[in-house]
Amino acid sequence: MKITFLGTGTSQGIPVIGSDHPVCLSSNPKDKRLRVSVLVEWDDFAYVVDCGPDFRQQMLRVNCNRIDGVVFTHEHADHTAGLDDIRPFYFRQGDIPFYAHKRVLGELQKRFDYIFTTKVKYPGVPSVIQHEIKNEPFQLGNLQVIPINGMHHKLQVFGFRFGDFAYLTDMKTVEDEEIEKLKGVKILVVNALREKEHLSHFNITEAIAFIDKVQPETAYLTHISHYLGFHDEVQQMLPKNVFLAYDNLQLEL
C-alpha cells in the first residue's frame, strides 16, 4: 500500500491569503500546505479521501491519471469543493464512485445539483455512482475498509481504516468503542490544528494523547494551521514515533 499526502493544511491552506504570519512567509516547502486530502493506493486500486478546492492542483502535482473513487469524511467545503474537477477522470473512465454518509451525499446533491440531476444534463458534466456509508465495514476494490465514527464539534465525521493504515481528520471527540477499531494499526494519521485548544479540532496535545491511546507503530499529524508553527521546529518537539505530515509525503506499507 502507498499513501500520498495530497494536502496537509487547514481550511484556508498555508500560506493564508493576505497573511504576514511568519509561517505563511516561510520559504520551506514543508510549510506550504494545500487543503487536506490523501491518496491511498494498493494492488491496482487508487482512492482519494476527500476532494477539496485544491483537488486539480493536487492531481497534477502527483501525476495521478486514474482514481477508482472518492471517499468523503464529511461535507465541509475544504473537503468537497473540488468535486467538479473529477471531470477528466469521468471523461476517461465513466461514472466516478462516491462513498459518503447519507447526510453528506444529500449536501453534495444540493451544492452540485447539476452533477446529480437525473434530468437533462449540460454536456460535459460528470456523473457519479453514489454509495452510502454507514458505521460498518464496506468494500473498496479487494479491501474491506472500516469507518471510524467521530465528532467535529457537533457534526458527525468518518475516519477510515485501510488495513494497517488509518486516516482521521477533523476529529474533536472519538468514543472508546471507535478507538478499539484502530488497535493494531501500523500507521495512524490524525488532525492536529494548533497548540491552543479549538472548538472542533484536536489541538496538538489532544492529538498526541489520542495517539497514545491507539498505540500505532508510527503516527502522522495533518490538517495543520500556520498557528502550529514552523514544520522543522514543531517536529523537534514531537515524540519519536510521531511526525508532521507535509504535502507530497509518501508512505509505504
Side-chain angles (χ1 to χ4, degrees), residues 22-76:
V23 174
C24 291
L25 301 178
S26 171
S27 60
N28 185 348
K30 293 180 180 178
D31 286 323
K32 300 183 186 302
R33 303 180 184 275
L34 300 181
R35 266 60 73 92
V36 68
S37 179
V38 67
L39 172 66
V40 186
E41 301 172 272
W42 67 93
D43 297 336
D44 293 324
F45 301 100
Y47 287 87
V48 174
V49 180
D50 289 333
C51 183
D54 301 314
F55 180 72
R56 174 181 174 274
Q57 182 180 354
Q58 291 165 340
M59 294 293 95
L60 289 171
R61 191 165 65 175
V62 299
N63 195 29
C64 182
N65 56 28
R66 182 186 62 82
I67 58 172
D68 291 292
V70 183
V71 186
F72 291 95
T73 59
H74 64 297
E75 64 267 40
H76 282 167

Side-chain angles (χ1 to χ4, degrees), residues 9 16 22-23 28 93 117 123 150 175 186 194 199 215 228 234:
V16 176
V23 174
N28 185 348
Q93 303 172 207
T117 184
E175 297 296 329
K186 291 183 178 178
R194 62 190 190 190
L199 178 70
Q215 290 290 302
L228 186 59
V234 175

